[in-house]
Amino acid sequence: NDIVISSPFQAKKVKEIIVKQTKKLNARLYLPSTDEIAKLKKEFNTIGEIENHSISLKTIQVLKKFFLHNITIPDTNIYKDIVSSSHLPCRKEVILNSIIIDGAHNINSLIELNNFIKQKFPYIKQKILFIGFLKDKNPEDFKKFMNLLAPKKVFLVRFPSKRSYKDYTKIKSVFRALNTEINEINYKNIINHIKTNNPHKDVLYII
């Protein structure tokens, strides 16, 4: 049978869909336990970190149980290794201590990103944000994040996808009330823009 490993932090409706589809496929559903989540809460501050690490741990447990019978590494050792050395690319990834890359794609993960920035860079006053939008996103929903982050500049990123916004006029009108400088940029030019503007310790670039 197929195996489904899911997050315990999903919204109620999402959980119902996952359970329904799992039953439909006659698959087995595995979720991180309450005890595992409680243990990870002592190691990490944000829901995103706890969620991602709990799924990683549960995946390894399931692999060991059903597929990797020859692995003799105790679960306690696996836990220690994942907690101490695991790295999730493009999730609150800090580069050169002045650039953050994060794949946040909804308002909750953006607010979590803002909390991370406040904890990690409390001394930073100038923030420059590069953000792209898909057609199914409502710009109004992102105003709360923008107010919390209070970036000095916002670059609306253009990227070649049928799902992306082609006209940023509406988004600009929504964000204009935030008293923030708004520009547009092609995704290929982001790195060169940062390089030419000489990133330093007083400016944080968020992509």
Side-chain angles (χ1 to χ4, degrees), residues 183-198:
N183 304 278
E184 293 185 33
I185 191 170
N186 186 286
Y187 78 104
K188 293 181 179 180
N189 299 328
I190 294 175
I191 299 302
N192 282 335
H193 175 85
I194 294 175
K195 282 182 178 178
T196 54
N197 283 275
N198 299 319

Side-chain angles (χ1 to χ4, degrees), residues 4-60:
V4 177
I5 299 171
S6 184
S7 164
F9 296 98
Q10 301 283 9
K12 183 179 178 181
K13 287 186 178 180
V14 176
K15 287 180 181 177
E16 291 172 354
I17 292 170
I18 292 172
V19 170
K20 183 179 178 180
Q21 289 300 314
T22 301
K23 289 180 178 177
K24 185 177 179 181
L25 294 169
N26 195 27
R28 288 172 287 187
L29 176 62
Y30 290 88
L31 298 171
S33 69
T34 303
D35 288 343
E36 289 167 340
I37 296 299
K39 194 174 180 181
L40 286 167
K41 282 182 177 179
K42 297 177 182 178
E43 305 283 353
F44 302 102
N45 296 320
T46 66
I47 293 298
E49 290 173 311
I50 296 166
E51 180 178 32
N52 290 326
H53 283 84
S54 68
I55 293 173
S56 298
L57 286 166
K58 182 56 66 178
T59 300
I60 292 174

Side-chain angles (χ1 to χ4, degrees), residues 83-159:
V83 168
S84 63
S85 63
S86 63
H87 171 65
L88 301 166
C90 299
R91 293 311 307 262
K92 305 178 187 70
E93 184 171 359
V94 180
I95 301 173
L96 301 176
N97 210 36
S98 60
I99 302 170
I100 294 180
I101 299 178
D102 192 90
H105 59 280
N106 57 50
I107 188 59
N108 289 334
S109 52
L110 283 168
I111 290 174
E112 189 174 306
L113 170 62
N114 180 68
N115 292 336
F116 169 79
I117 291 170
K118 285 169 66 177
Q119 291 173 9
K120 184 81 175 177
F121 302 95
Y123 54 87
I124 291 290
K125 299 301 181 185
Q126 294 187 37
K127 301 164 198 160
I128 297 177
L129 174 68
F130 296 84
I131 186 169
F133 282 89
L134 297 180
K135 291 178 182 177
D136 62 347
K137 303 299 180 186
N138 182 357
E140 291 284 348
D141 294 339
F142 290 82
K143 285 174 74 173
K144 181 179 180 180
F145 166 68
M146 291 296 187
N147 279 318
L148 290 170
L149 184 67
K152 180 183 178 183
K153 293 181 182 179
V154 174
F155 285 88
L156 301 173
V157 180
R158 291 192 172 279
F159 52 99

Side-chain angles (χ1 to χ4, degrees), residues 52-81:
N52 290 326
H53 283 84
S54 68
I55 293 173
S56 298
L57 286 166
K58 182 56 66 178
T59 300
I60 292 174
Q61 290 169 6
V62 171
L63 286 172
K64 278 185 65 182
K65 182 176 181 179
F66 294 105
F67 304 102
L68 306 174
H69 304 293
N70 295 327
I71 291 183
T72 58
I73 304 172
D75 285 345
T76 51
N77 288 17
I78 292 173
Y79 175 86
K80 288 178 183 177
D81 286 344

